[in-house]
Amino acid sequence: MCPAPVDESTPRGFIIPIGGGEDRVKEMQIHRRFVELSGGADADIVVIPTASMLEETGPDYNRIFSELGAGRVEFLPISRRADCDNPDFAGMLDRATGIFMTGGNQLRLSAILGGTLVAQKIRRRNAAGVPVAGTSAGASIMSEHMVAGGSSNAGPAEGNITLAPGMGLTNAVIIDQHFTQRNRLGRLLTASSFNPFLIGLGIDEDTAAFIGPDNVFEVVGSGTVTVVDASHLTHSSMWEARRGQALSLLGLRLDVLGEGCRYDLTARQAFPPDEHLAFCTLPDRSGNSGATGGKTQLQ
């Protein structure tokens, strides 16, 4: 599954995977930025709490976004596939200026939404410029290849991760969440070994990657985003490893990005925060760099 086609006259909307456990009481920095991108006082935000089994999840996020000044906030009470055919829900997504998927169980989310009208609407609205954010399970499902489960506190090994089809808002990355808190580097490295084309994003709690339409993301929050780039692997033992056997992966590149750092997913290059960028600029799409080349600012 590839991202929905983008009209050349309309930039794709931000894709915002959040590592879970985000601040929902104090500064609410990540949610505040999402509301701004969605239109602030003119925002029409639709929350999809399907991944969660808790009845209070939808109303809780409604409260958060309303307190942050969003003009309208509603949630879709989708708990079974038949709910996804509700024309009222389709209409709400058609007018949404921001879409937010909550945490919970990503397999529940994909099993209920996958291939439905609601999933198609989310993809098309993002392609039309609407920001889509998701936390924890809602972050995992954003990529074409979704981390469905696997071993924490383990090194890279054959069989220590389970993948499933995701929503396909992006086909450039594979996303894991609660990353440092649950020691998930080993399973992200395993995922990267399957196909080195994919860039692995390990996102900590209370941390988000704001991926812009130019495929450059900025880190927002109190933790880090770990980027695994396997494109220059010189050797991988994945294809011949036995079940449970430790993997050899030579030539990996790993970057750890804190708040304000940026990463160009096309050039596969990391950059420090703005105050450290005097002699470091993002390349333009021709691969050249210059004083004004390609640097992205969140509006």
Side-chain angles (χ1 to χ4, degrees):
M1 183 186 297
C2 296
V6 176
D7 185 333
E8 292 183 0
S9 64
T10 304
R12 171 184 60 74
F14 274 78
I15 300 169
I16 310 164
I18 307 165
E22 69 273 20
D23 168 23
R24 291 190 256 176
V25 179
K26 298 178 181 178
E27 296 299 320
M28 295 186 283
Q29 182 182 10
I30 295 168
H31 297 139
R32 192 179 304 276
R33 189 79 65 95
F34 170 66
V35 170
E36 292 172 358
L37 286 172
S38 300
D42 296 321
D44 188 335
I45 294 174
V46 172
V47 176
I48 300 176
T50 305
S52 175
M53 297 288 287
L54 303 175
E55 292 184 1
E56 63 266 26
T57 300
D60 188 37
Y61 277 100
N62 277 20
R63 173 191 58 79
I64 290 168
F65 295 134
S66 295
E67 288 179 357
L68 291 173
R72 175 190 286 180
V73 189
E74 299 174 284
F75 73 91
L76 304 186
I78 296 172
S79 59
R80 55 198 180 103
R81 287 183 65 83
D83 296 333
C84 297
D85 295 324
N86 188 324
D88 291 337
F89 294 170
M92 290 165 66
L93 289 168
D94 279 337
R95 68 169 186 262
T97 64
I99 299 170
F100 189 95
M101 296 181 288
T102 75
N105 184 313
Q106 55 261 46
L107 277 177
R108 171 179 165 84
L109 188 56
S110 63
I112 292 175
L113 295 189
T116 67
L117 177 62
V118 164
Q120 293 171 15
K121 290 288 185 183
I122 294 171
R123 285 162 49 82
R124 290 171 182 168
R125 293 300 287 154
N126 181 245
V130 172
V132 177
T135 183
S136 190
S140 289
I141 200 174
M142 290 180 166
S143 52
E144 179 180 4
H145 302 281
M146 179 182 79
V147 175
S151 303
S152 300
N153 298 304
E158 202 287 328
N160 81 345
I161 191 167
T162 303
L163 302 180
M167 191 169 288
L169 297 180
T170 172
N171 62 359
V173 302
I174 186 165
I175 298 165
D176 209 349
Q177 17 80 5
H178 302 284
F179 192 67
T180 297
Q181 289 75 17
R182 300 183 187 179
N183 192 15
R184 288 176 167 172
L185 177 59
R187 75 181 198 178
L188 186 62
L189 291 172
T190 304
S192 297
S193 75
F194 289 139
N195 187 338
F197 162 77
L198 294 172
I199 295 174
L201 296 186
I203 307 177
D204 288 356
E205 293 179 2
D206 191 35
T207 308
F210 280 72
I211 307 172
D214 58 357
N215 265 353
V216 176
F217 73 76
E218 179 183 351
V219 177
V220 176
S222 62
T224 61
V225 174
T226 299
V227 180
V228 175
D229 177 8
S231 62
H232 297 293
L233 273 180
T234 58
H235 172 74
S236 170
S237 65
M238 168 52 77
W239 67 274
E240 59 184 351
R242 300 183 305 276
R243 181 78 177 181
Q245 184 177 6
L247 299 179
S248 298
L249 300 169
L250 308 183
L252 284 166
R253 177 172 175 174
L254 187 145
D255 290 296
V256 180
L257 286 68
E259 183 165 35
C261 290
R262 290 178 169 84
Y263 192 92
D264 187 321
L265 293 168
T266 303
R268 295 176 180 249
Q269 188 171 1
F271 297 88
D274 282 349
E275 59 267 28
H276 302 289
L277 273 174
F279 302 101
C280 183
T281 55
L282 297 183
D284 60 29
R285 288 295 157 250
S286 67
N288 299 318
S289 48
T292 59
K295 191 168 73 175
T296 254
Q297 294 286 346
L298 295 185
Q299 301 299 319

